[in-house]
Structure formats: C-alpha cells, structure tokens
Amino acid sequence: MEFLQSLDAALAAFASFVWGTPLLVLLVGGGLYLLVVSRGRPYRHLGHSIDLLRGKYDNPDDPGQVPHRQALSTALSGTLGLGNIAGVAIAISTGGPGAVFWMWVTALVGVATKFYTATLAVMYRGRDAAGELQGGPMYVIREGLGKRWMPLALLFAVAGLCGMLPVFQSNQTVQLLRESFAVPLGVVGEDGSLWFDFAIGVVLAIAAAVVIAGRIQRIGKFAVMVVPGMVLFYLALTFIVIGYFWQEVPAALWLIVTDAFSGRAVAGGALGAVIATGISRGAFSNEAGIGTESLAHGAAKTTEPIREGVVAMVGPIVDTLVVCTCTALVILLTGVWQHGEGIEGVSLTAEAFSQVFGHWGPVLLLLMVLPLAFSTIVTFWYYGVKCFVFLFGPRLQWLYTAIYISLIAIGAVASLNAVNSIIIGMYAVMAVPTMTSTLLLAKYVNRAAHDYFVRMESGEKAGLKDPV
C-alpha cells in the first residue's frame, strides 16, 4: 500500500513538473510567435472555413480518408466534453474567475497554432508500414525534418500511446451515470456498486468496439452526427441559465477580466497561480500545440494543406471561446464557485445547473456529456492506434485494440490516480515534439499560405469556385 501511495505521489509530481512554466511558455509563446510571423493572415480568412465545412471544395478523389467536416468533428470530439465541463470548474475552483481570461488567451493564440499544426499534418503526410497515407506530428517530423530528428517522432508516438488511454473518460462517464441515475432511482446505494460500474463499462466497451471496427471513416461519421448536436444542446442549456441571470452577466465578465490581473479570488492573491491554472487548463481544453488534433486533421481528403489549417482554426473558437465561456458563466452566475468547498470538476458544474433546473440539472448535463465522452473514447483509439502502428507496424494493432477495449471496462471500476497522472504528463510530453517541429517548419506554411490565399483571392475576383 505504501508503495502504491509513493507511486501515485511520484507520478503526480511528474505531471506537475512537466506542466511547469517552460511548457506553458512554449505553448503560449510559440503560439504568439506563429501569430506574428503569419501576420495574422489566417485570422482574416476564418470565414473561408465555413465554405470548406459546407463541402464547397470537397473532392472524393483527393488523398485522405475523411472530408473536412468529419476531420474537424473528430478533432473536436477529442477535446469537447469532460474537459469543457470539469476542466473549467477545476480552473475556477483552483485559480479563481481570472483563470478563464487566461484560457481565452490560449484559445486566441491556439487559433494560430492549430492553423500551422493542421496544415503541416497534411503537407507532410507519410506512408505507414502498411502503405496507407497518414498524418500527425510523427510523420511531420519524419517527412519534414528528416531522419536525424526521428527521436522526436518516436517521443511523440510513445507519449501518444500512453496519453491516449480511455480510462479517465470511462471512469468519469460511469460516475456521472451512477450519481445522476442509479443512486436517485435506488438502483445502487450512495457508496456505489462494483457490479453496476463494471456492467456500464462493458456496455461502453462493446459500443466502442462496434464504432472502432469501422476505423476513421466510421469514427468520422459518428463524430459529425454527435458533436454538432451535443454542442448546440449544451449551449441551449447554458443560454437558459445565462438568460435567467442576464442582469448579472456584465459583472461576471468584468470579474473574469479584473481577477485575471489581481488574483484576489485565490488565497494569498497569487497572480502566478491564476495565470498558470488558466493557461494549463486552456491547453487541456483545446489541445492546441499538443499534437492530437494533427492526427485527426491529417486524415482530411484534400490536396491543399492550407484548407485543413483553416478548418482547424475553428476548433479553439468553438471549444474554448464559446463552450468553455458558457460553462464559466454558468458557474459564476449561479454563485456555486463561492460556496462549493470540496466540490470540484463536473460535480461543481452539475451543482450550478441544479440552481436553475433543480434535480434535472445533472441529468440534462449527463445527456450532453455521455455521447461526447463516448466519442472521445473512440477518437482516442484512433489516435493511439496511429502511434502504435508508427512504432510497431500494423501486424499487431489487433493487440492494441484488444487492450484498449479492455481498459474501457477496467477504467469503469478501478481507482486510477496513477494512470491519470501518466495521461496528464504524457500530454505535456507530446507538446514538445509538436511545437518544436511546428516552429522549425513554420516558414514552409507561410509560403504555402501566401500562395493559396493569393490564388483564392484571384479566383474569387475571376468568379471561380476553386482557387487552383
């Protein structure tokens, strides 16, 4: 028992260390650098993403596996859900309302970061051992930087393999089901039930296996059906709460801004804690610079890398600037953050919804979280198997899939502090090769962007549909 406690403490210390100031500077400072060297040009063409997501430029004969909108939905399914609900609550409870402002900062610079990482994921696609065209940071490094940089590619693949485990999503999903349905209906007691948790875990595992069997094509179709609808459903819920307290919205927004530079809401007025909490939670939320988004965007059907970069820019806007802001306003407007001692994560958000919807609040929250958490589980399998194939080839990927499916069921019943620390730490490790390769190859994206946007503007002036 003492050994396990020591292991938990060591892994927690590791996760805290790797998410320290140097990494936060790399993510935000790197994003600011990319924003500057791009001269903000991608931001000016953000409206072009709407045409791309509508399928205006889709060509089924283009290389890749899924259309633009499915690639974006798959990427969003890996970020939306528990991170936007539990993550924002944790940010406010530990860093105060000002942490939300610094989450906004990560999103604003994350737009530039995602433009570059997603563009590179298509620009430097490579063949895996089975001869299939793939995208992602490890292929960007191998194809764009060359063999002498392969240790960075291997580092990302190993970190991705360890960081894309389904245990957290499985564990938290089962917990929500238990607390929202099973306990109120008397199916299980307040202390829970092992058989209930395991049964739900097995159901999740079987459902995931069905979707996973269709690989990225089925995952993309599933994500594009689930993600937009669930986001709209959640926004509708939050708008009802915000409308209920509409007179207090300006004061809540002002509190976020002022506390971001004072840290008064944090014990001792630790401004550094506010900034660090907001930036780290923002990075967790939108994953800009982590590299996972590149694994999804690299599968897009296109011959124009810049197009997928423009599409990827939508991610931080939807994920952090819209969804996370709505969550933050719900928590602040209802006041639960001030008297929620001992309540953290998704439970704090559920308590906030209960202020307006009563006992239906957690149930409505669950209806949104459940499909998004499930979509995250199947998306993470796709991310993980790409890393596995890069490291070991395609012959044994059935073994990875079997282990992954088993972990969904095991995660539902296990105490996973150590595993969660590994996952959190590996996210930080993934950012190092991703941001390093992105910064080194940024000049090639700038050239491609200049060429593409010039052709696009010329095509629009000539009344052409396609800027080629």
Side-chain angles (χ1 to χ4, degrees):
M1 183 64 71
E2 291 184 5
F3 171 75
L4 292 178
Q5 291 177 344
S6 299
L7 180 63
D8 284 353
L11 290 172
F14 162 73
S16 177
F17 171 75
V18 292
W19 274 102
T21 302
L23 181 70
L24 301 183
V25 170
L26 177 64
L27 288 172
V28 178
L32 284 171
Y33 170 79
L34 295 172
L35 172 59
V36 171
V37 298
S38 71
R39 301 178 182 177
R41 191 167 194 174
Y43 292 75
R44 302 198 300 269
H45 292 279
L46 189 60
H48 183 44
S49 63
I50 305 302
D51 287 337
L52 291 166
L53 291 171
R54 285 173 47 221
K56 184 177 179 180
Y57 300 103
D58 284 357
N59 183 346
D61 296 325
D62 282 345
Q65 288 89 33
V66 294
H68 291 294
R69 59 184 174 275
Q70 290 187 18
L72 177 63
S73 296
T74 301
L76 283 174
S77 72
T79 59
L80 289 170
L82 290 169
N84 303 85
I85 297 168
V88 175
I90 292 171
I92 293 174
S93 62
T94 58
V100 178
F101 176 88
W102 297 106
M103 292 182 73
W104 292 344
V105 171
T106 66
L108 290 172
V109 300
V111 168
T113 303
K114 287 220 174 183
F115 171 75
Y116 279 85
T117 55
T119 298
L120 289 170
V122 177
M123 185 180 292
Y124 292 107
R125 286 194 279 209
R127 301 282 175 181
D128 61 19
E132 189 173 352
L133 196 63
Q134 300 285 3
M138 56 279 202
Y139 293 100
V140 170
I141 294 167
R142 189 185 74 184
E143 305 296 325
L145 295 178
K147 291 184 177 179
R148 67 191 182 99
W149 293 89
M150 274 298 288
L152 269 185
L154 295 173
L155 177 63
F156 178 88
V158 171
L161 199 60
C162 298
M164 297 294 109
L165 299 177
V167 288
F168 176 76
Q169 284 74 22
S170 173
N171 190 276
Q172 293 293 291
T173 301
V174 170
Q175 179 181 324
L176 274 172
L177 278 166
R178 185 175 62 246
E179 293 180 357
S180 298
F181 281 107
V183 173
L185 294 176
V187 177
V188 299
E190 291 288 343
D191 296 331
S193 173
L194 191 64
W195 69 263
F196 174 83
D197 292 354
F198 185 71
I200 298 299
V202 170
V203 172
L204 282 174
I206 294 172
V210 172
V211 178
I212 285 171
R215 298 181 65 79
I216 182 60
Q217 289 81 3
R218 188 175 296 175
I219 293 172
K221 290 177 181 177
F222 176 80
V224 82
M225 287 190 298
V226 168
V227 171
M230 289 302 98
V231 169
L232 291 175
F233 175 66
Y234 183 65
L235 291 179
L237 292 180
T238 58
F239 287 164
I240 291 173
V241 177
I242 293 169
Y244 190 82
F245 296 97
W246 68 271
Q247 292 178 312
E248 300 170 40
V249 171
L253 292 172
W254 183 242
L255 175 62
I256 290 173
V257 175
T258 55
D259 190 60
F261 299 95
S262 67
R264 283 194 298 267
V266 181
L271 179 58
V274 178
I275 297 173
T277 300
I279 292 175
S280 61
R281 283 295 156 187
F284 268 121
S285 173
N286 57 57
E287 297 183 8
I290 303 299
T292 52
E293 73 283 352
S294 298
L295 295 167
H297 289 295
K301 277 182 171 292
T302 184
T303 56
E304 295 279 3
I306 297 301
R307 287 180 181 170
E308 194 56 28
V310 172
V311 168
M313 290 164 56
V314 178
I317 296 172
V318 173
D319 180 278
T320 306
L321 294 181
V322 176
V323 178
C324 286
T325 299
C326 287
T327 300
L329 286 175
V330 167
I331 292 171
L332 294 175
L333 291 171
T334 56
V336 296
W337 69 281
Q338 293 178 309
H339 53 79
E341 293 85 357
I343 303 177
E344 285 191 355
V346 72
S347 298
L348 184 64
T349 311
E351 175 66 19
F353 277 101
S354 296
Q355 298 290 315
V356 174
F357 296 106
H359 68 277
W360 285 103
V363 175
L364 292 170
L365 189 62
L366 175 66
L367 292 177
M368 193 280 296
V369 169
L370 183 58
L372 285 180
F374 178 75
S375 67
T376 301
I377 289 173
V378 296
T379 297
F380 276 14
W381 168 83
Y382 174 66
Y383 292 166
V385 82
K386 287 186 73 168
C387 293
F388 184 90
V389 170
F390 184 83
L391 290 168
F392 306 109
R395 285 197 306 165
L396 294 176
Q397 64 175 308
W398 63 268
L399 178 61
Y400 172 81
T401 301
I403 294 173
Y404 189 91
I405 296 296
S406 300
L407 285 173
I408 297 174
I410 294 171
V413 297
S415 177
L416 300 164
N417 291 333
V419 176
N420 286 334
S421 293
I422 293 173
I423 293 172
I424 292 169
M426 289 301 105
Y427 260 63
V429 174
M430 282 189 284
V432 175
T434 299
M435 288 302 297
T436 300
S437 58
T438 300
L439 293 171
L440 289 173
L441 295 169
K443 60 183 178 181
Y444 300 108
V445 177
N446 292 336
R447 292 174 190 171
H450 174 78
D451 174 67
Y452 178 80
F453 289 130
V454 166
R455 285 187 287 122
M456 187 184 76
E457 291 163 359
S458 299
E460 287 176 349
K461 290 177 182 178
L464 301 176
K465 174 185 177 181
D466 201 319
V468 294

